[in-house]
Amino acid sequence: MQYRVLALAALAALTGGTGMPAHAQSNVTIYGRFDLGVTRQNDGTSSLSGSNGRLGREGERWDVRHGSESRLGFQGVEDLGSGLRAGFQIEHRFRSDTGEADPVFWKARSYVYLESAQVGTLYLGREYVPAFWPALKTDPWLWDTVGSPGLNHQFATYRIDGHARGNNSVGYKTPKWNGFSANVAVAAGEAARDRSTGANVEYASGPLYAGLGVDRQNADTRVVVAGAAYDLGWVRPMFTYTDSRVAAKDVVNLTLGASAPLGRGILRAAIARLDPDGDDNNITKLGLGYEHLLSKRTSVYADLGSAKQQGRLAGVERTRTTAVDVGLKHSF
């Protein structure tokens, strides 16, 4: 459920009689997610990526933790007239099992924008790099739970500012034309890293989605993502191909996945292969999961993720890491 707070009413209450101009048709939307479950992981030594905050090699364990990061966000928009709107979005992430706030309070998103239905959207702040969207939309779990290929596979180990979001971004998104849209962005390094430049082109019409995205910080730090999906009604197959260069090494990932309606829920499956060029360190991850919808906002889920990494750790061949999670998720 979204709770809309009328900015005009708040402004009138705070400034009544001051002669300040009214801003009609302005509002703020409060939204969020609370996600918490139980995860069981074995003592495998292969890296197991997932949004649950563990990478494997930590020993056999039970944990109470999220399948997808819990969050609280605010979106505001003001109609400026003549088809122009101004707005903002800020989103906080926290650990629902402890109530602990992320050290970067508005980590997920923090940006302001001007938008025209005819011209497009100009935005400034912390926002996902354009290459993120094709990678996200061709992951059956949308980067959530232990089953998901997630950031490590879908971005082939590439990172910017610790994730797939660029600090100090200036970006532009086009309107949608006959199913096509594009996004370009520059994220200033401000002496913390090299400047990032990125772009994407996406097509979404009817059952077909296809996208291509790039991001580059320097000659040895860049990523290219290509993905597609087609909804057949009874199943939605998808694939992602990612080619990155990280720490002067080329890395390739291929993900094949699918989602399918099943009863009042969604069945998900994927296999992802991460291949760092020149390293005997390939990772093959399998994911399988089911999310049962109790309502439009509440669901229960169960997932399995299992990965086998080649190579040796401390002279010993790596063993398979497997994790399962069962959880409850509520969005508002």
Side-chain angles (χ1 to χ4, degrees), residues 211-273:
L212 173 67
V214 299
D215 199 74
R216 183 182 186 277
Q217 297 174 54
N218 54 54
D220 287 323
T221 312
R222 50 87 179 151
V223 67
V224 179
V225 182
Y230 194 89
D231 192 345
L232 298 170
W234 60 275
V235 65
R236 184 176 184 263
M238 61 195 79
F239 85 91
T240 318
Y241 177 81
T242 309
D243 186 327
S244 74
R245 187 166 177 81
V246 178
K249 291 185 178 181
D250 294 321
V251 186
V252 171
N253 181 78
L254 176 63
T255 298
L256 300 176
S259 61
L262 181 62
R264 290 191 57 187
I266 304 171
L267 181 67
R268 299 181 173 96
I271 180 170
R273 169 82 169 192

Side-chain angles (χ1 to χ4, degrees), residues 12-13 70 74 81-82 106 111 125 128-129 132 134 142 158 187 189 197 217 225 242 262 286 291 293 310 329:
S70 295
F74 299 82
S82 301
W106 301 113
Y111 68 93
Y128 291 102
V129 297
F132 166 78
L142 300 176
Y158 179 84
T197 56
Q217 297 174 54
V225 182
T242 309
L262 181 62
L286 302 173
E291 182 177 6
L293 307 177
Q310 291 184 345
K329 178 170 64 177

Side-chain angles (χ1 to χ4, degrees), residues 24-40:
Q25 298 193 25
S26 301
N27 66 76
V28 174
T29 300
I30 304 173
Y31 69 93
R33 177 186 299 172
F34 203 103
D35 185 330
L36 198 57
V38 176
T39 301
R40 169 72 167 83

Side-chain angles (χ1 to χ4, degrees), residues 141 145 147 266-270 287-291 301-304:
W141 287 267
T145 84
I266 304 171
L267 181 67
R268 299 181 173 96
L288 181 66
Y290 177 73
E291 182 177 6
Y301 58 85
D303 302 279
L304 178 145

Side-chain angles (χ1 to χ4, degrees), residues 21 44 69 72 76 128 137 147 160 167-168 238 269 315:
E69 285 187 293
L72 177 65
Y128 291 102
K137 294 174 183 179
I160 175 171
N167 293 336
N168 320 307
M238 61 195 79

